[in-house]
Amino acid sequence: MTHQQELAPGPDHEDAAAASATAPKKVFMRTYGCQMNVYDSERMTDVLGSEGFAPTETLEDADLVILNTCHIREKAAEKVYSELGRIRKIKEERALHGKDTMIGVAGCVAQAEGRELTRRAPVVDLVIGPQSYHQLPALLKQAGKGGRIVETEFDIDAKFRHLSDAAARSAQPAAPRRAPTAFLTVQEGCDKFCTFCVVPYTRGAEVSRSVEQILAEASQLVAAGVRELTLLGQNVNAWHGEGADGKAWGFGRLLRRLAEIDGLERLRYTTSHPRDMDDDLISAHRDLRQLMPYLHLPVQAGSDRILAAMNRKHTRDDYFRLVDRIRAVAPEIALSGDFIVGFPGETDADFEDTMDLVRRVEYGSAFTFKYSQRPGTPGDLMDGQVDEDVKTQRLHALQELITAQQTGFNASRLGMTFGVLFERKGKRPGQLVGKSPWLQAVQADAPDEMIGTVQPVEIVEIGRNSLFGRLKAGQDESAGA
Ligand code: 5AD
Ligand code: SF4
């Protein structure tokens, strides 16, 4: 991979740096794709905050623009290039007023395109891959001296070490209060090599953070007011790290340890691979009241032939058995998933197997995608690519089925009372918005002081995008869940 290549000199940023000694600098961060990118964008914002950059939502005000990109589906890179075209115009407009604008591209498109990005879009000052965000301040300074910087090294250990140091540094009593929910990356990369997927190439091999690093960051977040943590990883349940005892821990054990943190009310994790749901992790769903009854467990397809072609390393029966084992210990759990329709070679009969699997499993929600050819993946070169029209028809049929299941699941909450973690004010005065244990949005009239607390709420109405509830006094979160 390319490493810090100085290409043609770019515009000189020295003047802007001098001017910014007086006015605070502003960064505009646009995030595409998965929750891992959301987490990475937050960390980049933190790192830049300590360099004096305040976040802005207005592109025209930004001294630094960062696009944190996603490469998982088609035309991702093209979208980034057209976005860069728009940003170039704003940069030119700002230049007329003597203001400099630095432009960075981060995330998986940065990793995949590398130097090509600065060739096709010379407006870009910095290309930075997902493993290098801890070097952002230093790289910006370098880019500020002129020249374009491309940094796409795979050194995830260094990134994780730095994240932990940053957590330790901000674990001061005066740490700013945060929203009640937060993401925490525990694992990055993937060794599974599903034949449709770019992740093993853009995020690299699977690496787990150590127990010590994760606990330090989790404790710091809880001390700053976080009540719900979502552990993130491309293959999160493949996490395996070294504990303080020097022994290898599995993901279930990590969850048990995190559940001991005082003040941490809720735990979630995403995304899981069916192959890595071991007994300890399954029984954690029975044992831990903090572990929410919602599990994203993608199966991708329902036909054994397609699952084999996808290199998923499990059959549909393996998946059914797994779902039975999970539901045996946690009957209230809602399952969610990802599905790809129109993988190369998928016949009507194969697709019907996917529909049948969905009917049998019954999902609380799920994401559906048309297969898109990704250069560099084995699927791209496979025979039997499916017509776009056929993909569209299958997508609609599957979406209709899943929407019906989701609507039914939401409706089944009517009259139930369960804990809602209030996250923020609602649109109407006096109203708060929070999440149910099953990740549904819930709105209820409640005082602002309840933000960041879990309160019992009785569901009185089912809306299209959220549930409406009424505060109930004197019951705990487990009620009705
Ligand atoms: N085409 C369509 N969907 C894809 N996904 C990953 N790669 C592709 C692709 N090439 C979907 C998978 C994965 C989710 C994050 O994106 O369903 O679980
Ligand atoms: Fe991609 Fe997930 Fe398969 Fe890994 S397990 S290759 S991240 S779809």
Side-chain angles (χ1 to χ4, degrees), residues 288-325:
L288 302 178
R289 85 174 162 80
Q290 293 88 344
L291 195 51
M292 290 295 102
Y294 175 92
L295 179 60
H296 187 235
L297 193 64
V299 64
Q300 310 293 357
S303 141
D304 280 341
R305 223 171 53 77
I306 297 299
L307 287 170
M310 286 177 164
N311 191 31
R312 289 289 294 175
K313 303 188 178 82
H314 60 77
T315 63
R316 64 189 262 123
D317 274 347
D318 293 336
Y319 190 77
F320 288 138
R321 274 194 295 273
L322 176 60
V323 168
D324 286 347
R325 278 165 58 217

Side-chain angles (χ1 to χ4, degrees), residues 190 192-194 196-197 199-200 234-235 273 300 312:
C190 183
K192 296 278 193 302
F193 290 93
C194 299
F196 52 80
C197 185
V199 165
Q234 272 91 23
N235 205 166
H273 193 286
Q300 310 293 357
R312 289 289 294 175

Side-chain angles (χ1 to χ4, degrees), residues 219-259:
S219 306
Q220 180 254 320
L221 288 167
V222 174
V226 169
R227 295 291 163 259
E228 174 181 297
L229 273 182
T230 302
L231 308 184
L232 294 182
Q234 272 91 23
N235 205 166
V236 72
N237 58 342
W239 178 90
H240 57 284
E242 192 179 298
D245 53 6
K247 296 208 178 103
W249 285 27
F251 191 58
R253 184 154 179 207
L254 177 68
L255 287 171
R256 289 171 204 276
R257 178 63 190 83
L258 286 166

